[in-house]
């Protein structure tokens, strides 16, 4: 028996301001993933939910919502995993453990969040909970303010990142035009992102509105299977690496600009998969704010430290570049229903690696990276996925 | 390599109305468990937090609080597991998967909750979130009201459980007198529990105050180790079974009086451990309300269905009986800091099975059961622990 685990099916609701309840989103994504996997619901041995919540939805027993998807789920173990904005990946990695421990052959993972029914202020407050409120650096700050500090620190140490940030935003909006599931389908050019305007106000200087990801509803799902169970699957993608690194929560306890957690998680993932950055055909990464994507280029090794902008200037990360980043539109334009985000990354990477990504498709993609992050580089999850066209 | 996993250390704060913050509780329990395990913090490969929250504490990134316990935890993966009142066991079972998958040799699990700084109304509302608010049976109900329905249904189907409920409450209060960590240290006799009075008012008829568990702060922790890593441990207890069964959330979708989820989880645990109910030397079970403990006697096989009272009448479950239940005082008198409860059960069972339970000690105990439950028999976790005096 090999320790390999495969994705054999995916589900993905539209992201955006949706009328559906959390339960309806969970059920839709779950059913779609099982249907694509081509297995019976009774063949699922355990279910895992990625869900941030933090008071966004009153219902506090989210794990059991998955059981509403099918009567065959009765008595199957279900649990919720939470790690702030990386809750979706947290659920996937728990699912991997369940398979690798021998406890399960097939696992259903769903990530979901319902956010748009709350006011922007409520959502901002809920998300700020993922900071460390006793810390001298971040006390009382919202997440846009935290990443404004990151951008300021970057400017002081390495030079002004504003131009790169605008290019990242414009790139991700352009990519989202090809993703029918994305929340935003509107060209937002570099020139618009670069300037502060009535339509693009400062949210937390120097961050403009165009530097911030969206408040979204949505769900995504995947079916994970052991090598044995996946042998007869119509489509399968191998999880070549899944590395989780948690850093200290308080920003004052670490050099937050070093992004050490992301760099370690990604380096470990490359090593486990036996590849290097140059082998990647695409990456879906955590652009909660544009400075995060810039720092992730450096953590990925696409550019030297402090020179992330080169990955843009040299064209590397654009849709037609060597390593396109966020072909889906990213959190910036696809949307960021917190608990769904990590599962969405894996679901869309599965579609890329099985040639089902439609207008987003990177032709012949064999290797993909997902990088999902909770907090300011606190909970870091890096997966390498492989097309496995054996 | 064997698949066996052992507990090699435990930590447990006092339960009650405490001045400490959530972080301080987590750190205290974590340090104590690692210290008892006799390993260096750097030897911990992954950490898991059981925490319900549901808005009780504003901070939304609880998993990373464990990292405050020791600088050596930097970069170790940490995640929060949630399954309502069974969140503590959820974290333990994820820890088991991490070891059995080969990803970790030593795992730290902490369960914690901070509740008493909120009003009783706020706590009741937060806990009610673990019901299914769209269900015709339980819409708008608090948890005392849900278990009042359970008691009423029991009375209709099997006969009045009020006398048994009062005996359970009095027993658990008496047991808590021997537990220095318990929230309540006050003899509460059967006669008091049996009658409605100014001091023992109806909370949700027929439940009196004496039928309800407490609102508590507290944390508990254990270190889990692979057989290999546990070989040199000073003390170790084998996890002979760990079974998780999730039932449908809405009460209208099942015969909630049948307690099928608990019965299945416990039966599976006996089978996995190769024992029967008669082999147990003690059990720590989920007496969130006294009717729950009564139904758990039946699910455990200590009495036939509808005759749980016999386990009391025949003396089986008392401290000097054949199978003492809740020697710790249970949720009723030890306290019920939600996320800590499942970990507390395992930590105290570890102490029983290593002869460290002080005045609570069951002499020569070799087999113990823990049963931790989220919702009304929705998330059911049954573990069998073995003294492993090889």
């Amino acid at each position: 028996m090999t320790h390999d685990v495969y994705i054999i099916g995916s589900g993905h609701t539209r992201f955006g301001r949706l009328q559906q309840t959390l339960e309806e989103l969970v059920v839709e994504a779950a059913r779609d993933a099982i249907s694509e996997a081509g297995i019976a619901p009774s063949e699922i041995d355990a279910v895992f939910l990625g869900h941030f919540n933090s008071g966004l939805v009153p219902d506090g027993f989210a794990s059991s919502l998955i059981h509403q998807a099918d009567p065959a789920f009765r008595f199957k173990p279900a649990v919720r995993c939470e790690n702030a904005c990386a809750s979706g990946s947290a659920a996937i990695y728990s699912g991997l453990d369940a398979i690798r421990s021998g406890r399960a052959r097939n696992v259903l993972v769903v990530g979901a969040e319902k956010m748009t029914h709350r006011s922007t202020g409520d959502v901002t407050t809920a998300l700020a909970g993922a900071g460390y409120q006793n810390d001298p650096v971040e006390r009382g700050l919202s997440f846009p303010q935290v990443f404004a500090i990151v951008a300021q620190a970057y400017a002081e140490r390495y030079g002004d990142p504003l131009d790169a940030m605008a290019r990242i935003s414009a790139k991700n909006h352009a990519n989202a035009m090809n993703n029918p599931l994305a929340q935003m389908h509107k060209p937002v050019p570099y020139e618009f992102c670069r300037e502060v305007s009535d339509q693009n106000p400062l949210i937390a200087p120097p961050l403009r509105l165009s530097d911030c990801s969206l408040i979204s509803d949505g769900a995504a799902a995947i079916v994970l299977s052991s090598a044995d169970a996946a042998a007869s699957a119509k489509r399968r993608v191998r999880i070549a690496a899944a590395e989780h690194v948690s850093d200290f929560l308080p920003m004052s306890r670490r050099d937050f600009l070093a992004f050490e957690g992301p760099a370690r998680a990604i380096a470990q993932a490359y090593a486990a998969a036996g590849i290097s950055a140059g082998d990647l055909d695409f990456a879906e990464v955590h652009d909660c704010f544009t400075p995060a994507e810039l720092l992730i280029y450096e953590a990925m090794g696409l550019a030297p430290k402090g020179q992330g902008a080169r990955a843009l200037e040299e064209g590397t990360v654009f849709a037609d570049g060597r390593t396109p980043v966020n072909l889906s539109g990213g959190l910036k334009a696809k949307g960021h229903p917190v608990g769904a985000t990590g599962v969405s990354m894996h679901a869309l990477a599965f579609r890329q690696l099985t040639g089902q990504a439609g207008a987003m498709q990177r032709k012949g993609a064999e290797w993909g990276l997902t990088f999902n992050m909770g907090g300011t580089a606190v909970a870091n999850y890096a997966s390498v996925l492989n097309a496995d066209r054996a």
Side-chain angles (χ1 to χ4, degrees), chain A:
Chain A
M1 197 189 85
T2 150
H3 234 44
D4 280 340
V5 177
Y6 296 82
I7 303 176
I8 65 164
S10 65
H12 204 298
T13 71
R14 213 160 62 74
F15 281 4
R17 183 180 291 272
L18 308 177
Q19 294 306 311
Q20 291 145 288
T21 63
L22 180 68
E23 176 179 326
E24 288 165 343
L25 293 168
V26 165
V27 166
E28 179 185 328
R31 286 184 179 156
D32 287 352
I34 289 174
S35 163
E36 189 189 3
I39 63 173
S42 60
E43 292 178 85
I44 296 287
D45 300 310
V47 292
F48 295 86
L49 179 74
H51 184 49
F52 172 64
N53 200 352
S54 202
L56 289 167
V57 175
D59 200 296
F61 209 158
S63 70
S64 289
L65 295 179
I66 302 184
H67 281 55
Q68 300 293 85
D70 200 286
F73 288 168
R74 191 171 189 198
F75 303 129
K76 311 268 189 193
V79 69
R80 170 178 163 226
C81 303
E82 186 266 324
N83 232 343
C85 295
S87 297
S89 292
I92 292 173
Y93 285 32
S94 284
L96 290 173
D97 277 351
I99 291 175
R100 290 189 173 134
S101 74
R103 179 162 75 86
R105 293 180 78 238
N106 296 298
V107 155
L108 172 66
V109 184
V110 182
E113 209 78 45
K114 181 79 186 167
M115 304 172 78
T116 68
H117 63 303
R118 301 296 295 270
S119 70
T120 302
D122 284 351
V123 170
T124 304
T125 302
L127 293 172
Y132 186 73
Q133 293 301 325
N134 295 320
D135 191 72
V137 174
E138 57 200 301
R139 184 183 292 134
L141 296 189
S142 69
F143 256 88
Q145 289 171 321
V146 165
F147 275 91
I149 290 178
V150 171
Q152 286 158 7
Y154 196 98
E156 279 167 32
R157 197 181 297 177
Y158 301 119
D160 186 353
L162 283 177
D163 195 68
M165 287 158 55
R167 286 185 199 280
I168 287 168
S169 179
K171 166 182 73 68
N172 290 351
H173 279 292
N175 286 348
M177 300 291 286
N178 293 322
N179 181 358
L181 302 167
Q183 185 161 357
M184 283 186 77
H185 292 116
K186 192 165 78 166
V188 180
Y190 161 73
E191 295 72 20
F192 175 91
C193 301
R194 191 66 185 83
E195 298 304 319
V196 175
S197 65
D198 286 353
Q199 286 74 44
N200 193 26
L202 282 170
I203 298 294
L207 300 196
R208 297 104 159 84
L209 183 61
S210 57
D211 293 305
C212 306
S213 57
L214 306 171
I215 293 172
S216 319
D217 308 323
I222 56 174
V223 174
L224 295 173
S225 299
S226 64
D228 180 36
S232 56
K234 193 170 162 192
R235 300 179 194 90
R236 64 182 212 176
V237 161
R238 185 170 64 92
I239 301 192
E243 297 290 325
H244 169 195
V245 169
S246 291
D247 204 347
F248 292 135
L249 181 54
M251 291 172 73
S252 64
R253 290 191 69 186
R254 53 196 167 101
D255 174 1
F256 56 81
L257 208 53
F259 255 45
E260 283 182 81
R264 277 176 182 252
I266 294 169
Q268 289 176 200
Y270 290 162
I275 63 162
S276 61
D279 295 313
L280 292 174
D281 297 302
F282 67 92
E284 288 288 323
V285 309
H286 201 91
D287 59 325
C288 49
F289 298 94
T290 52
E293 182 165 323
L294 185 66
L295 283 159
I296 293 167
Y297 296 158
E298 301 171 13
M300 286 175 66
L302 298 181
K305 201 147 231 20
Q307 301 179 47
R310 279 176 50 183
L312 295 152
E313 291 154 9
E314 296 165 2
T316 314
V317 294
F318 288 90
D320 56 358
R322 181 171 168 183
T323 316
V325 172
N326 286 328
L327 285 166
S328 69
L331 286 56
K332 168 68 261 195
K334 178 184 67 178
H336 181 27
V338 173
T341 287
V343 184
S344 166
M345 289 175 175
H346 288 77
L348 297 184
F350 170 79
R351 293 180 182 184
Q352 279 287 352
L353 294 166
T354 52
Q356 302 180 92
M360 289 180 277
Q361 186 65 48
R362 170 75 170 185
K363 225 175 155 183
E366 284 191 17
W367 293 98
L369 173 79
T370 65
F371 177 71
N372 184 200
M373 180 171 88
T376 318
V378 176
N380 306 285
Y381 291 82
S383 306
V384 173
L385 306 183
N386 180 213
D388 193 58
R389 292 203 195 84

